[in-house]
């Protein structure tokens, strides 16, 4: 099995010595992903906008690994303010309503006070053969 790194080009990855995602066989482990637009290194002030950007970032990493959000089997949401989490639910339903991965939400401080959410996913590429 081949282990492969996926990098986004974010300065955070180089500074903290991690990869946006790691592919190990059919498994894809996407690191905690925030609402930064990595192309411009900007972040919206709004939680919902950050959540949408998280999904765009995650989709990009999954695409590089040959997967989609439909392949996600586990998701962890981290928010500094647990009371704000319900505001994200429409975005979560938009992206995961048919997928329904196993999920956990944690309330914890994030590395940058501008960050309002961080999302981590684990996906497994579907087999191209049928049993």
């Amino acid at each position: 099995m081949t282990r492969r790194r996926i990098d986004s080009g974010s300065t955070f990855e180089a500074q903290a010595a991690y990869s946006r995602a790691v592919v190990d066989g059919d498994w894809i482990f996407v690191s905690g992903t925030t609402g930064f637009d990595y192309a411009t290194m900007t972040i919206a002030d709004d939680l919902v906008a950050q959540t949408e950007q998280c999904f765009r970032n995650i989709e990009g990493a999954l695409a590089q690994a040959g997967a989609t959000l439909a392949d996600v089997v586990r998701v962890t949401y981290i928010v500094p303010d647990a009371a704000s989490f319900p505001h994200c639910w429409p975005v979560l339903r938009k992206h995961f309503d048919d997928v329904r991965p196993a999920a956990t939400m944690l309330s914890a401080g994030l590395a940058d006070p501008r960050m309002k959410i961080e999302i981590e996913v684990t996906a497994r590429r579907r087999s191209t053969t049928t049993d």
Side-chain angles (χ1 to χ4, degrees):
M1 259 183 223
T2 306
R3 184 173 185 262
R4 178 170 60 99
R5 287 187 350 203
I6 294 174
D7 297 309
S8 71
S10 162
T11 57
F12 299 131
E13 293 167 29
Q15 293 169 351
Y18 75 96
S19 297
R20 170 64 32 225
V22 173
V23 180
D24 192 344
D26 288 335
W27 289 98
I28 303 139
F29 303 91
V30 180
S31 293
T33 303
T34 64
F36 271 94
D37 178 335
Y38 298 124
T40 62
M41 287 310 293
T42 59
I43 191 166
D45 290 329
D46 178 66
L47 170 63
V48 173
Q50 284 191 27
T51 305
E52 284 285 6
Q53 184 63 50
C54 286
F55 277 100
R56 284 191 290 276
N57 295 339
I58 291 166
E59 285 176 313
L62 290 172
Q64 289 181 58
T68 70
L69 288 174
D71 297 308
V72 172
V73 296
R74 180 96 176 114
V75 60
T76 302
Y77 305 102
I78 305 164
V79 293
D81 176 14
S84 69
F85 189 57
H87 298 288
C88 301
W89 293 355
V91 178
L92 308 184
R93 283 192 305 271
K94 173 182 167 184
H95 294 284
F96 282 149
D97 201 34
D98 293 333
V99 180
R100 302 285 174 107
T104 299
M105 187 281 287
L106 302 169
S107 180
L110 297 176
D112 183 319
R114 296 174 293 173
M115 297 172 181
K116 298 183 186 316
I117 188 165
E118 186 168 339
I119 303 173
E120 172 188 85
V121 303
T122 301
R124 185 168 186 224
R125 286 185 291 216
R126 299 172 196 209
S127 173
T128 56
T129 61
T130 57
D131 294 323

